């Protein structure tokens, strides 16, 4: 099993390029099969989740041609199966976006029900509620959801909970349903807007993405397009927090600052200097961070995918902070690992009470999930001594070339897979 080994203490200094947004790319890749023409997608993030979804798309019969690390051509004209293999949904839940895409195009789809996940049960009842509102029947048989409709007709859908996945999945199916669909209480995340813009570039008629009411007029067919995915604001925010906890000075390039407003505001609140440019943000931290309180909310509120990262920063801040996780029920699994590095944190329900400590000390820790794993790497960068992070396969799902990008900023970090390599690293860094 591969691990990251880190020697903490180096301030991160320099510039880092952000890749394409994983959570936009997953919806866009699924939507790409909805036309029989060839679609070209640029600025794909080079991460495991994308590779898996492209395999799943190939498995149902679409033609997938990778052109370089971040560009792909997809042609869905020869899709022979509307049934996605379990192995793909087991690897990434977002394979369920093929439900909305296949239902919209073929009026039938069969996708294994995604299991639970480390951060919560993550039901998909709202996705199914939306499909039913479009006239589809949905049933669960042998662990798979089968959604089908003789005829998809626009409907009026109110999402009880703001859901990124349900908004994207319903938007895809509705884009080829007859008539008008309204999605109320829709998610407003930048990646929802990116999927809507992508569908519109294929000839869909979607208005209001980015607000809480999305209006869609269905079309008969979708056509070819060339599209470039927005930058990943979660990858960007992760590097911004890495700069903050190491008292560094980092320019995060190829971002849309507006997408980072909640993160930038919190970093400024805890004592960082944050400077915005057209397509970059600079974070400078010269002294010890100070405490604050934060509650995760749907966009434009503070993102849940940035909760572990701010948790690490606040564990080193002066004073006591409260972090409240309002989206998922189990997103504090990193706390136990952080306490082993010297943090003083108590989790009560969906709130972590964080008593800031002067320093963290390196330890052997394990990544419980994608963003918590990245947060533990950030903790290792700030900690005194050596940290080894196990189970980095989670981190590789959503961060491209993570250790290379951190090393280019001055971090002492390597990917290792043996005790021998760990010893060699320890000898080298002294
Ligand atoms: C997306 O997950 C992201 N994943 C998550 O990022 C992100 O944390 C989440 O949105 C919130 O921003 C992708 O985009 C692939 P939701 P999603 O539906 O769509 C409840 C990462 O680190 N809910 O907005 O699954 C749900 O349980 C990942 O990149 C229902 O009750 O999130 C949760 O409490 C982690 N029924 C809340 O809504 C449903 O049918 C928000 O979930 C759907 C969701």
């Amino acid at each position: 099993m591969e691990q990251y080994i880190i020697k903490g203490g180096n301030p991160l200094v320099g510039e880092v390029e952000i890749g394409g947004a994983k959570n936009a790319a997953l919806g866009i890749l699924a939507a790409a099969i909805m036309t029989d023409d060839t679609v070209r997608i640029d600025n794909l993030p080079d991460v495991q989740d994308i590779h898996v979804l492209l395999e799943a798309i190939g498995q149902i019969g679409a033609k997938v041609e990778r052109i370089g690390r971040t560009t792909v051509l997809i042609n869905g004209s020869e899709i022979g199966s509307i049934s996605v293999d379990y192995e793909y949904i087991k690897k990434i839940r977002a394979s369920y976006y093929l439900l909305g895409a296949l239902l919209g195009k073929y009026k039938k789809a069969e996708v294994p029900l995604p299991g639970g996940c480390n951060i919560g049960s993550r039901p998909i009842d709202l996705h199914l509620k939306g499909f039913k509102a479009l006239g589809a029947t949905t049933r669960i048989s042998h662990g798979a959801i089968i959604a089908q409709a003789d005829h998809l007709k626009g409907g009026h859908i109110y999402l009880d909970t703001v859901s990124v996945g349900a908004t994207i999945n319903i938007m895809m199916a509705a884009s080829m349903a007859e008539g008008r669909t309204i999605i109320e209480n829709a998610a407003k995340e930048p990646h929802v807007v990116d999927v809507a813009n992508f569908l519109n570039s294929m000839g869909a008629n979607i208005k209001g993405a980015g607000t809480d009411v999305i209006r869609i007029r269905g079309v008969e067919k979708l056509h070819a397009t060339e599209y470039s995915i927005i930058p990943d604001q979660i990858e960007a925010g992760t590097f911004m927090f890495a700069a903050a906890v190491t008292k560094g000075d980092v320019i995060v390039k190829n971002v849309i600052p507006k997408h980072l407003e909640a993160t930038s505001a919190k970093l400024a609140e805890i004592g960082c200097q944050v400077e915005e440019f057209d397509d970059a943000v600079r974070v400078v931290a010269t002294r010890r961070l100070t405490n604050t309180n934060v509650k995760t909310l749907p966009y434009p509120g503070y993102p849940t995918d940035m909760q572990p990262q701010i948790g690490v920063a606040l564990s080193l801040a002066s004073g006591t902070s409260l972090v409240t996780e309002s989206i998922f029920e189990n997103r504090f699994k990193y706390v136990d690992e952080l306490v082993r590095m010297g943090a003083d944190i108590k989790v009560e329900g969906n709130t972590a009470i964080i008593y800031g400590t002067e320093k963290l000390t390196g330890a052997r820790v394990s990544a419980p999930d994608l963003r918590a794993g990245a947060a533990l790497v950030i903790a290792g960068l700030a900690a005194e001594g050596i940290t080894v992070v196990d189970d980095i396969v989670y981190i590789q799902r959503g961060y491209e070339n993570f250790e290379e990008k951190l090393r280019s900023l001055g971090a002492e970090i390597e990917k290792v897979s043996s005790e021998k390599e760990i010893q060699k690293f320890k000898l080298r860094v002294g």
Side-chain angles (χ1 to χ4, degrees), residues 314-365:
L314 294 173
S315 74
L316 282 162
S318 58
T320 300
S321 303
L322 297 180
V323 175
T324 302
E325 171 58 56
S326 73
I327 307 288
F328 291 112
E329 61 266 33
N330 195 13
R331 206 160 197 178
F332 286 123
K333 287 177 73 173
Y334 66 96
V335 167
D336 293 339
E337 298 297 291
L338 208 48
V339 165
R340 296 180 56 247
M341 296 176 74
D344 184 357
I345 305 174
K346 196 163 168 34
V347 176
E348 302 263 345
N350 69 342
T351 297
I353 306 153
I354 303 177
Y355 307 93
T357 49
E358 288 278 345
K359 68 175 178 150
L360 295 174
T361 51
R364 182 141 192 178
V365 292

Side-chain angles (χ1 to χ4, degrees), residues 4-8 376-377 380-381 385-389 412-413 425:
Y4 285 138
I5 183 164
I6 304 154
K7 177 172 184 281
L376 290 172
V377 170
L381 295 170
I386 301 275
T387 297
V388 175
V389 182
E412 280 285 8
I413 178 172
F425 177 89

Side-chain angles (χ1 to χ4, degrees), residues 144-374:
I145 301 157
I146 300 162
Q148 62 188 77
D150 301 334
H151 176 71
L152 276 186
K153 198 165 166 358
H156 194 144
I157 299 149
Y158 180 81
L159 293 179
D160 312 56
T161 312
V162 174
S163 161
V164 166
T167 304
I168 289 175
N169 233 344
I170 297 164
M171 202 162 64
M172 283 193 282
S175 60
M176 293 187 80
E178 189 197 327
R180 196 175 72 150
T181 294
I182 297 177
I183 305 173
E184 303 226 37
N185 201 23
K188 300 184 268 196
E189 274 70 3
H191 27 297
V192 171
V193 177
D194 212 28
V195 176
N197 290 341
F198 172 74
L199 283 163
N200 283 340
S201 78
M202 291 166 78
N205 182 341
I206 301 170
K207 293 185 172 44
T211 72
D212 40 21
V213 182
I214 298 178
R215 299 172 196 287
I216 300 155
R217 281 208 172 280
V219 294
E220 291 271 310
K221 275 175 85 67
L222 294 170
H223 55 67
T225 184
E226 295 197 358
Y227 196 82
S228 184
I229 290 169
I230 54 167
D232 192 318
Q233 86 261 30
I234 306 300
E235 183 195 12
T238 304
F239 282 99
M240 291 161 74
F241 272 104
V245 301
T246 58
K247 296 196 179 63
D249 178 348
V250 172
I251 298 180
V252 182
K253 298 177 73 174
N254 184 27
V255 297
I256 299 171
K258 172 124 188 75
H259 293 168
L260 289 161
E261 276 179 348
T263 301
S264 299
K266 277 299 166 191
L267 282 163
E269 226 171 277
I270 61 177
C272 298
Q273 289 121 51
V274 182
E275 198 180 348
E276 290 185 0
F277 305 91
D278 287 348
D279 62 353
V281 175
R282 181 179 179 191
V283 176
V284 182
T286 50
R287 49 185 164 67
R288 186 180 181 192
L289 301 171
T290 52
N291 63 319
T292 187
N293 296 331
V294 61
K295 178 175 183 179
T296 64
L297 287 167
Y299 190 88
Y302 188 84
T304 174
D305 293 347
M306 212 73 75
Q307 183 263 92
Q309 296 90 322
I310 198 166
V312 168
L314 294 173
S315 74
L316 282 162
S318 58
T320 300
S321 303
L322 297 180
V323 175
T324 302
E325 171 58 56
S326 73
I327 307 288
F328 291 112
E329 61 266 33
N330 195 13
R331 206 160 197 178
F332 286 123
K333 287 177 73 173
Y334 66 96
V335 167
D336 293 339
E337 298 297 291
L338 208 48
V339 165
R340 296 180 56 247
M341 296 176 74
D344 184 357
I345 305 174
K346 196 163 168 34
V347 176
E348 302 263 345
N350 69 342
T351 297
I353 306 153
I354 303 177
Y355 307 93
T357 49
E358 288 278 345
K359 68 175 178 150
L360 295 174
T361 51
R364 182 141 192 178
V365 292
S366 155
D369 60 69
L370 165 56
R371 306 301 174 185

